[in-house]
Amino acid sequence: MDYEMVVNIFSGNRILWTFLPLLCCLLCAAGDETVTLQEVEGTTITLHTGITGIQSDAQIQWFYGPEKAEEIILIRQVFKGETVTEISERFKERLQLDRISGALTIRNISRNHSGVYLLQVLTGRISSRTFSVRVYAPVSTPVIIKRESQSVVSTEPCSPLCTVENGEDVTLSWYRENERISITNNTDFSVPLNLPLQIQHHDNNTNTYICVSANPVSNKSSSLNITQLCDHHSGQTDRSRSLLPVLISAGGFVLLIICVTLWIWLKKKKQQVSEKPEVTYADVNVTAHSAERVKEEEKPGITQVEAETDPVVYADVRR
């Protein structure tokens, strides 16, 4: 074996030993249990590794990919006695590394960051962790509307419609009290989710109905106002509104009759009050006649006194 052959073999072995740890890491990662995380868009998420006490001179690498962790997004290593951390432009200003555990924190995570994350720690031994992250947008609040095609006949069941903006893994459900009675979803995100509800007459005002939109990380709900949306109640309300002018007219007519009756009664009362002084005047006349009669009866007595005094006067004259 010549010298050149020995050098080639040695070089080949050196290359093999250089890539062997990485190959082992990939094999170990393939056998690791994957941790699944689901988060809301715009929040902060931390990928906890479960590792404690990583050596200060250990090399830490984080890989990412939508399907497979192939792109290096962070690498921390000691180079010439200094710790150097490099972050890819895609995750710039978003990543924070815990040097003790290797945990990775992602700030303001978006749906574009969903995928597979792989941690590799290279020291005297090889450690790795795999994470599957799903990021969802917050679900919208459902809206309950009256179906335009409904009949206004009171015998028809009430059938309001619940609708919500569609999205990834979004479902729409109707609940009666705490029991789910219907559910729907649609993989076509370009159209909204719609779910009708039929309410029979015996259910009116006896149960609470709630429409709930949900995805794995959030949910929103809206309560049904039966008296505003259900047909038979709406029909009653419409009829009440149509009868309102008639009721007002009837009330006005009744009020007019009451006013006329009251006016007639007051007029009669006034006439009775105006006739009362004449009766009093007649009484006064009678009283006046009685006084004259009394004076006439008293007058002879006074004449008799004068008669008794006159003779004396007459006697004086005779003398």
Side-chain angles (χ1 to χ4, degrees), residues 189-205:
F189 301 155
S190 63
V191 296
L193 287 179
N194 297 316
L195 186 61
L197 172 68
Q198 288 192 349
I199 302 176
Q200 301 301 325
H201 292 299
H202 65 273
D203 288 337
N204 298 338
N205 298 324

Side-chain angles (χ1 to χ4, degrees), residues 204-273:
N204 298 338
N205 298 324
T206 61
N207 294 297
T208 300
Y209 292 90
I210 300 176
C211 183
V212 179
S213 57
N215 62 17
V217 296
S218 64
N219 64 80
K220 297 289 180 61
S221 63
S222 295
S223 299
L224 171 62
N225 190 329
I226 298 179
T227 58
Q228 290 184 0
L229 292 178
C230 287
D231 279 346
H232 54 281
H233 286 283
S234 302
Q236 292 176 358
T237 302
D238 294 339
R239 286 192 294 272
S240 299
R241 291 177 179 175
S242 63
L243 290 175
L244 185 59
V246 178
L247 295 176
I248 293 176
S249 300
F253 180 72
V254 172
L255 183 60
L256 179 61
I257 293 177
I258 293 174
C259 291
V260 171
T261 304
L262 182 61
W263 179 78
I264 294 174
W265 180 81
L266 290 175
K267 185 176 180 180
K268 289 182 177 180
K269 188 70 175 178
K270 186 176 180 180
Q271 290 178 354
Q272 291 177 359
V273 171

Side-chain angles (χ1 to χ4, degrees), residues 85-146:
T85 302
E86 298 180 2
I87 301 175
S88 69
E89 289 296 328
R90 180 174 184 175
F91 287 87
K92 207 71 174 178
E93 307 299 332
R94 293 180 183 269
L95 301 183
Q96 182 178 351
L97 180 69
D98 186 336
R99 298 181 180 182
I100 304 301
S101 65
L104 184 67
T105 298
I106 308 173
R107 294 185 295 269
N108 192 24
I109 195 168
S110 70
R111 283 177 289 176
N112 294 330
H113 299 146
S114 294
V116 180
Y117 292 80
L118 171 64
L119 166 68
Q120 292 180 353
V121 180
L122 306 178
T123 56
R125 62 188 183 90
I126 302 172
S127 300
S128 64
R129 294 289 186 278
T130 305
F131 300 85
S132 177
V133 178
R134 296 290 300 274
V135 183
Y136 295 90
V139 72
S140 302
T141 302
V143 177
I144 302 174
I145 60 176
K146 179 180 179 180

